[in-house]
Amino acid sequence: MSGPLALFFGTRPQVIKASVLREALAAAGPPPVVAVDTGQHYDYDLHQVHYDQLGVRAPDAYLGVGSGSHARQTAAILTACEDWIAANRPRAAIVIGDTNSTLACALAAAKSRVPVAHVEAGLYAADRLMAEEINRRAVDAVAEVLFAPCERVAARLRRRYPDAEVEAVGDVAYDVLRRALDKAPRPRTVHGYDPAWGRRFVFVTLHRAELVEDPTRLKAVMDGLAASPLPCLFAAHPRTGAALERLGYQADGSVRLVAPVGYLETIALVRQAVAVVTDSGGVQREAYWLGVPCITVRDETEWLETVECAANRLVAPRLGATLPAAIAAAAATTEAGGAGGTRWDRGAYGDGHAAERIAGILSQRF
C-alpha cells in the first residue's frame, strides 16, 4: 500500500501528544503523515486552545463528529473514519490512548484491513467496564504494533499478544512536557490562582464518569476537599461542573471552582502547587515528572510506577473524608523536598524521546 501514515486523534490530551508525534513522523518519513482530527472535543477550552498554545498546525482532515453518548459518538466516528479511509487508503493508522476516537478509528482501520499502531498500549485497569478500559482492550486486540510506555507494560503485552510487535518506547506525554516547560505562564497570570497562596494550595482536576456521575462518591470527595487544610483550586471539566450543579454544590472558601484551563496553564499550576488531587492519568504523570506529590481519587491507577516510588497515593472516592490527611501529608513531603521539588526517580516512562522512537519504528515497518 502506497498511501500515507494516518495519525488519528480527537480529544484534548490527544491533540497535545499528536503535536510531537506528527512532527517526528514527518521528520522520519517517508511515508508522509496525515493528521486527522475526529472532533470528539470541539470547544475552545478543551480543544482549540491547544492548537493555539502549542503552535500545532491545523489537521489535514477534520471529521467534526461532536458530542453524544458513548455508543452514538463511537458510531459516528467509526463511520466518518471509514469514509475517510476509503477515500485516502492510508498504509497504517496510528491511534493514541483510550478514548472513543481511539476505539472507533482503530476499528474502522482494522475492518478496512489497514494495520493499526496503538500508542499508550497495555495500560489496563481492573474495572473492565470502565469506558476507557473497554476502549484500550479492544484496540490492543486489533492492533498490529503496540507501543508501551515502559517495560513492565510491554512484557505483559508480549505475553497477551505474541503475534503483535510490542515496543517499549517511553511516554509521548513526557516529550510534550519537556518541550512545553519554557512556554508555561507564570501562575499569577492564570485565572483563579491567588498570588497570596504562593505554593500553599492544591490543584484539583476530576472528570471520570465513575466519580462525577455518582452523586454519593462526588459528594464524599467534595466534602473532603472542603475540609482541606489548604485552599483548593479546582479546574472543573464541563461534565464535572454539570454534575456539581445537579448535586446542588455550593463552593465555599476552601474550594475555588474555575473553568478548564489550557495545557500550559495546567503545567504552571501543577508545578506551583504543594500537591495535586486528580483522577486524570495525564495529570498524575505531569505531577510525577515535576516532583509534586499527587493524590489520585480512584481505587487504582494504570501508572503503577508513580505509586511504587511514593510520588502518587490512591484515595478511593468513597473515602473522601481521608483527603484532608492525604493533602497534609503531601504538603509535608513537598516542603521536605525544598525548592528543587520532591526527590524520586522520574525515569520510569522514558527520557522524553518516545515520539522519535515511534516514528523510526513506523517508518521502517511501513
Side-chain angles (χ1 to χ4, degrees), residues 64 72 81 91 94 126 149 152 155 176-177 183 188 229 254 257 276 283 301 304 337 341:
R72 291 182 180 278
C81 184
R91 67 182 70 189
I94 305 156
R152 171 186 64 84
V176 179
L177 179 68
K183 300 178 183 178
R188 66 170 180 262
S254 298
L257 287 174
V276 170
V283 176
T301 180
L304 297 178

Side-chain angles (χ1 to χ4, degrees), residues 76-128:
I77 299 170
L78 178 61
T79 54
C81 184
E82 182 185 56
D83 290 344
W84 187 90
I85 288 172
N88 294 274
R89 298 307 301 172
R91 67 182 70 189
I94 305 156
V95 297
I96 307 167
D98 56 15
T99 69
N100 290 342
S101 290
T102 313
L103 174 61
C105 294
L107 287 177
K111 287 178 176 289
S112 302
R113 303 193 72 83
V114 172
V116 175
H118 186 197
V119 178
E120 285 186 13
L123 293 161
Y124 303 143
D127 183 357
R128 293 172 63 90

